Amino acid sequence: MNNLDNQEKQKIRIALIYGGRSGEHPISCATAGAVMRALDPEKYEVLSIAIAQDGTWVPGEIDPGKLQLNGASTIVKKGDTRILFGGGDGSQELLLVRSAAGTDDKLEITSLGRIDVAFPLLHGPFGEDGTIQGLLEMANVPYVGCGVFASAAGMDKDFMKIVLQSKGIAVGSYVAVPKKRWINSREQVLEEVQKLTFPVYVKPARAGSSLGITRVESLAEVAAAVEDAQLHDPKVIIESGIDGREIECAVLGGRGNNPARAAIPGEVTFAKQSEEFYDFEHKYLDTESLVMNVPPKNLSAAECERVRELAVRAFQAFECEGLTRIDMFLKADGTLLVNEINTMPGFTPFSMYPVMWEKAGMPYAELIEELISLAIARGTGLH
């Protein structure tokens, strides 16, 4: 074996998995492009895997320049080739399957080899919610990010708040509205909503990137907002409006038995005072109207430390692993309320999670390497 062969063998073989079935499909594609560009080719061999919107696994894009919002490959397209991946002991190989030329019933099967670690860059349902994490656990393939429970509970805004409250972490008032409850007990739901503080925010319970959220000023507007949110998820939650600053904090798992680490907190503010809330368009399209303040302006060192401590507590409440962004409200009286946890937060170089770690002294490429190292060290199974 020559030196080149030995060098190739020692590379970590990493599967970047992106796309998916949720409405955040294009965001996932853009994230994959950013991560692919940042990986050191001397250390990593990348296997790009894309998931089409119907759930089909196909060979992914290998040119990161095409994986960007409004780019050529922000929607995964299917062809006559697909990727098969299933359970095993971790030594099983991924298979490339295509229809044999000129036939409809014969398949050509090619091995893509095994992988050392997976980086599921999927947002929303069928990716961030414990589903792919469960698949990777059954395949005995280490993966970046939180495990099955933390991913599933963190994705559902209702159960997320239940877990936080059970650990003594304060959250805002809300009403959970599963589909059948809305159909069978609408009047009771509206009576409960009337007790919340308006404006209220009507949200899909298991969607991200602010998809399907409506700011509602009166009870008369609630029904239409619920039906709009149900286009993204049959289960909806309705949250009290909270008069406070929206502070975010990035948390990273600790190495070995060391505790989790919190970055410098951040705050997203609007350049124009007329803007109402941080929705999908502001996050990904009209970003020029946003200002990222890391650390938040006029936040004392003591307040920053309280935010960081609460973020780690929330991370630990779900036994999170890898990465999580904790979003909270800071009220005028100093009260902190956790609003959401995001187990696969936006992860382009310009997203808040990497920006907060950049300000804390960990650049984007280094952050990716740390996440991969944590995943490999953790492995799979009960631990």
Side-chain angles (χ1 to χ4, degrees):
M1 180 181 295
N2 61 37
N3 289 336
L4 180 60
D5 290 336
N6 188 52
Q7 183 184 40
E8 289 293 330
K9 186 175 181 180
Q10 290 178 353
K11 286 185 181 181
I12 294 172
R13 199 152 194 264
I14 180 169
L16 294 186
I17 307 173
Y18 69 90
R21 295 169 59 185
S22 82
E24 298 170 85
H25 182 106
I27 310 305
S28 174
C29 295
T31 303
V35 172
M36 192 183 300
R37 186 180 291 109
L39 286 170
D40 183 352
E42 297 297 318
K43 295 182 180 179
Y44 302 100
E45 179 188 352
V46 176
L47 177 61
S48 179
I49 300 175
I51 301 179
Q53 289 173 308
D54 69 351
T56 303
W57 290 39
V58 300
E61 179 60 61
I62 59 173
D63 179 0
K66 293 181 180 179
L67 289 168
Q68 54 186 319
L69 282 179
N70 302 318
S73 299
T74 52
I75 299 296
V76 174
K77 296 179 176 63
K78 293 194 301 179
D80 60 358
T81 306
R82 64 187 190 276
I83 290 175
L84 298 184
F85 177 62
D89 63 2
S91 66
Q92 69 274 23
E93 300 177 347
L94 281 77
L95 300 177
L96 188 68
V97 179
R98 63 166 59 89
S99 299
T103 69
D104 294 325
D105 57 351
K106 292 184 179 180
L107 300 175
E108 294 178 350
I109 300 176
T110 306
S111 172
L112 294 174
R114 63 177 298 276
I115 55 176
D116 298 309
V117 62
F119 200 150
L121 295 160
L122 299 164
H123 300 295
F126 310 107
E128 190 180 347
D129 59 355
T131 49
I132 195 167
Q133 289 77 16
L135 173 63
L136 292 166
E137 288 283 353
M138 292 182 70
N140 281 301
V141 172
Y143 55 93
V144 171
C146 290
V148 174
F149 173 77
S151 299
M155 190 74 224
D156 187 310
K157 296 178 179 64
D158 176 22
F159 289 108
M160 174 194 67
K161 294 175 190 292
I162 290 170
V163 172
L164 290 168
Q165 289 176 308
S166 76
K167 296 294 185 178
I169 297 173
V171 302
S173 301
Y174 75 102
V175 176
V177 192
K179 181 180 179 180
K180 287 185 179 180
R181 186 170 190 233
W182 182 244
I183 293 171
N184 298 322
S185 307
R186 182 176 300 200
E187 293 305 317
Q188 181 183 355
V189 169
L190 292 174
E191 286 177 12
E192 293 176 15
V193 172
Q194 195 165 17
K195 297 175 184 178
L196 300 178
T197 302
F198 281 80
V200 297
Y201 292 85
V202 181
K203 303 177 178 181
R206 295 163 294 194
S209 292
S210 300
L211 289 170
I213 297 180
T214 305
R215 184 179 191 265
V216 172
E217 299 286 350
S218 70
L219 193 66
E221 302 170 29
V222 169
V226 168
E227 288 162 12
D228 184 59
Q230 286 177 331
L231 296 175
H232 300 272
D233 184 352
K235 182 177 182 180
V236 172
I237 67 161
I238 303 170
E239 298 176 338
S240 271
I242 296 172
D243 185 11
R245 299 172 66 178
E246 296 185 47
I247 308 296
E248 304 177 16
C249 192
V251 184
L252 185 62
R255 294 190 179 195
N257 294 320
N258 292 322
R261 299 158 278 178
I264 297 172
E267 180 180 25
V268 176
T269 58
F270 292 112
K272 300 175 184 177
Q273 293 298 319
S274 60
E275 303 288 358
E276 292 186 337
F277 70 98
Y278 188 26
D279 59 9
F280 179 90
E281 183 174 353
H282 288 113
K283 284 183 177 180
Y284 299 110
L285 302 177
D286 183 24
T287 55
E288 292 183 0
S289 66
L290 299 176
V291 179
M292 292 185 179
N293 299 304
V294 183
K297 292 182 177 179
N298 303 317
L299 202 66
S300 70
E303 287 173 319
C304 278
E305 190 57 30
R306 285 180 56 224
V307 167
R308 295 175 71 244
E309 288 174 356
L310 182 57
V312 170
R313 280 184 62 202
F315 186 93
Q316 293 171 337
F318 290 83
E319 297 185 0
C320 291
E321 295 168 306
L323 73 166
T324 298
R325 192 190 74 232
I326 312 296
D327 301 343
M328 58 189 82
F329 290 106
L330 174 61
K331 299 175 69 174
D333 64 1
T335 301
L336 282 170
L337 304 175
V338 172
N339 184 37
E340 292 186 14
I341 74 165
N342 298 271
T343 57
M344 181 45 70
F347 203 78
T348 70
F350 311 106
S351 300
M352 275 296 280
Y353 185 94
V355 167
M356 285 186 275
W357 278 113
E358 179 90 35
K359 295 289 186 179
M362 188 179 295
Y364 188 67
E366 184 180 328
L367 176 60
I368 291 170
E369 288 208 19
E370 179 69 3
L371 287 167
I372 294 169
S373 296
L374 289 171
I376 293 172
R378 183 177 87 234
T380 58
L382 302 178
H383 45 77

